[in-house]
Amino acid sequence: MLPREELLKRVVENREVVARAIDLAEQAIKTWEVVETDFLSPPEIAEIKGVFSRLSDIELIATGGYPQAERQRLGFCRSELAFEPSQVPLAAVQIAGNFLFDPPTHRDFLGSMLGCGIVRDKTGDIIVLGEQGAQAIVAPELVEFLETHLTQVRSVPVKTRRIELSELKIREPKKKEMVTTEASLRLDAIASAGFGMSRSKMVDLISSGDVRVNWKDIAQSSHALKAGDLIAIRGKGRLEVGEIAITKKERYRINLTRFM
């Protein structure tokens, strides 16, 4: 049995989600089978991985259908077993319609899917294809239901059909390497340099809850960053903090990688 109470002592947020993950991991140990979660958000995944990082008798794999997927399912199995991401069940659907004159958004597709009666936990990422519609990653048991019931997005008729994960039209993120020199490691200073916006604008984004560090909401502009931290702003991509060095003038020279 896993040390449940000891593991939960480390949990800061998402306690119910982590507790459910522990239950599933124990099931995997008892049955010698792969057991998976529903789709989880990045903050939930990060916290579960942190809790399980010191356990040697359970293996954990996260997969969302493609390498850059944000929403993913976690699979658990005994560490003695061979375990591949393909053992975590995923499916994909194509949602095709004519959106030539009014391109839809991610929210439009998600709203229509949830409007059919399914729950968010059973849906992964949605890849919007502009005027052609979208592709969505879902739990396999939803495919037949969506093929029958997802027939309209906004006022546009759509046809929903199953596709292979290999048919997903993934756009590889563009990367931009840069170096900035700052007087401190404050979040607002580094993020404004990396995202190419004014510091006052970045402060506004942070205070309004639009900025996450390592998938956790950060509301303090003075939050100190370190090498390896990942900064995310919805709609603006991600920024990874690389090597940090101190210059002769005792300032910080920081390597950054922006993913757009």
Side-chain angles (χ1 to χ4, degrees):
M1 296 289 291
L2 297 176
R4 180 187 182 88
E5 294 306 317
E6 183 65 27
L7 293 174
L8 287 174
K9 285 181 181 178
R10 306 175 191 171
V11 178
V12 178
E13 304 174 1
N14 308 304
R15 186 178 178 86
E16 290 185 8
V17 174
V18 175
R20 174 59 178 158
I22 294 172
D23 291 340
L24 293 175
E26 289 185 336
Q27 181 182 339
I29 292 173
K30 291 177 182 178
T31 62
W32 290 76
E33 296 178 346
V34 174
V35 180
E36 67 280 344
T37 68
D38 287 329
F39 286 95
L40 302 172
S41 67
E44 293 169 336
I45 294 169
E47 189 144 44
I48 292 172
K49 284 184 173 181
V51 168
F52 279 79
S53 61
R54 298 181 182 180
L55 299 180
S56 58
D57 51 350
I58 191 79
E59 184 175 355
L60 179 157
I61 286 183
T63 179
Y66 64 103
Q68 299 83 32
E70 283 202 6
R71 290 180 60 79
Q72 301 185 11
R73 302 185 86 171
L74 296 181
F76 301 95
C77 82
R78 295 184 71 110
S79 56
E80 302 97 320
L81 302 177
F83 187 20
E84 299 292 336
S86 59
Q87 293 175 260
V88 179
L90 298 172
V93 294
Q94 183 92 22
I95 308 168
N98 183 3
F99 296 93
L100 179 61
F101 300 106
D102 191 8
T105 65
H106 179 281
R107 181 175 295 182
D108 292 327
F109 289 104
L110 178 60
S112 295
M113 293 172 69
L114 299 182
C116 291
I118 66 175
V119 295
R120 184 70 170 111
D121 293 347
K122 297 295 183 181
T123 65
D125 282 8
I126 298 173
I127 303 163
V128 179
L129 303 176
E131 64 184 46
Q132 298 177 351
Q135 296 172 326
I137 301 163
V138 299
E141 63 268 22
L142 288 188
V143 171
E144 186 175 346
F145 179 86
L146 289 171
E147 287 177 330
T148 302
H149 293 88
L150 184 55
T151 59
Q152 182 173 309
V153 174
R154 289 201 311 244
S155 59
V156 177
V158 297
K159 182 176 181 180
T160 304
R161 65 176 180 87
R162 183 172 191 149
I163 60 173
E164 298 298 324
L165 292 173
S166 59
E167 296 179 68
L168 291 172
K169 297 180 180 178
I170 307 302
R171 181 179 67 85
E172 292 294 328
K174 296 180 180 178
K175 293 197 324 183
K176 181 180 180 181
E177 307 281 348
M178 66 191 85
V179 177
T180 184
T181 301
E182 305 293 338
S184 74
L185 296 176
R186 288 174 57 108
L187 171 60
D188 56 352
I190 295 175
S192 61
F195 285 100
M197 65 178 65
S198 70
R199 192 157 173 175
S200 60
K201 174 63 175 176
M202 182 58 62
V203 169
D204 289 341
L205 289 172
I206 294 169
S207 61
S208 62
D210 292 324
V211 178
R212 294 184 292 179
V213 177
N214 300 327
W215 304 115
K216 294 184 178 181
D217 293 332
I218 300 295
Q220 294 181 330
S221 298
S222 60
H223 177 83
L225 296 173
K226 62 183 183 302
D229 280 348
L230 186 68
I231 307 164
I233 303 177
R234 183 175 295 277
K236 298 185 182 298
R238 306 173 192 173
L239 182 70
E240 183 176 0
V241 180
E243 182 181 353
I244 300 174
I246 299 178
T247 69
K248 293 181 179 179
K249 295 184 178 181
E250 297 187 348
R251 292 168 65 86
Y252 295 96
R253 186 173 64 248
I254 307 153
N255 290 287
L256 301 172
T257 303
R258 183 177 176 187
F259 301 89
M260 299 173 283

